[in-house]
Amino acid sequence: MKTVLSNLLVAAALPFILAGTAIAQPPPPGACQNCGVVQSVNTTKQRGEASGVGIVAGGVLGGVIGHQIGSGRGNTVATIAGAGLGAVAGNQVEKNVNTKTSWDVAIRMDNGTVRTFHYSNAPTVAAGDRVKLIDGGKRLALVVN
């Protein structure tokens, strides 16, 4: 008797348990197949590579500035130090100039799946916005209901 009662309780509870489980299902007929809600927009900065131009330009400029300091042996030391410091600074400046920013947009589609799209330009959407994918996600359009 206890087994029958426990089986009935499990059978009665099963629909409620399954209702809490997210299962990707197609939207109803006539619903937007390419729509969803933006879950997050994450920005990523990738530091640029140095090609050597910054090192050379910084070294030359630093050497010229260093040469203006002192005279005799001090002038030579200042020129060498200026060239070295200029090369290091020029390399860092070049890396900063070549930094690339990208954005990852995660969208929970109406069928329950989450899709993430990578963009090189800042998206015009924010978390919570309802959007429609255009050209397979190359662009996003806000959906007004």
Side-chain angles (χ1 to χ4, degrees), residues 4-5 7 11 15 21 24 27 35 39 41 52 55 59 61 65 67 74 78 83 93 98 102 109 112 115 131-132 145:
V4 172
L5 184 58
N7 286 342
T21 306
C35 294
Q39 296 295 296
V41 178
I55 293 173
L61 185 60
I65 292 171
H67 187 72
V93 167
N98 292 336
S102 61
M109 303 304 292
R115 295 182 63 188
V131 296
K132 180 175 184 176
N145 285 347

Side-chain angles (χ1 to χ4, degrees), residues 7-8 13 26 29-30 32-33 41 47 52 55-56 62 70 89-90 93 99 123-124 134 138:
N7 286 342
L8 285 173
C32 179
Q33 299 290 322
V41 178
R47 191 139 194 217
I55 293 173
V56 172
V93 167
T99 296
T124 58
I134 306 216
K138 291 180 184 174

Side-chain angles (χ1 to χ4, degrees), residues 57-85:
V60 169
L61 185 60
V64 168
I65 292 171
H67 187 72
Q68 306 301 315
I69 300 171
S71 61
R73 218 178 266 201
N75 181 269
T76 304
V77 170
T79 302
I80 293 170
L85 291 172

Side-chain angles (χ1 to χ4, degrees), residues 5-143:
L5 184 58
S6 62
N7 286 342
L8 285 173
L9 288 173
V10 169
L14 191 58
F16 296 105
I17 294 169
L18 291 177
T21 306
I23 299 173
Q25 297 179 7
C32 179
Q33 299 290 322
N34 295 316
C35 294
V37 176
V38 176
Q39 296 295 296
S40 64
V41 178
N42 296 313
T43 305
T44 305
K45 290 189 182 248
Q46 182 179 4
R47 191 139 194 217
E49 298 290 322
S51 65
V53 173
I55 293 173
V56 172
V60 169
L61 185 60
V64 168
I65 292 171
H67 187 72
Q68 306 301 315
I69 300 171
S71 61
R73 218 178 266 201
N75 181 269
T76 304
V77 170
T79 302
I80 293 170
L85 291 172
V88 170
N91 188 41
Q92 293 304 313
V93 167
E94 183 181 14
K95 284 182 181 179
N96 288 340
V97 167
N98 292 336
T99 296
K100 290 183 173 45
T101 304
S102 61
W103 292 264
D104 292 317
V105 179
I107 301 171
R108 179 167 302 281
M109 303 304 292
D110 288 350
N111 67 3
T113 62
V114 175
R115 295 182 63 188
T116 302
F117 297 91
H118 185 79
Y119 298 101
S120 57
N121 294 321
T124 58
V125 298
D129 288 346
R130 183 153 173 75
V131 296
K132 180 175 184 176
L133 305 180
I134 306 216
D135 294 334
K138 291 180 184 174
R139 293 182 296 129
L140 300 174
L142 287 173
V143 175

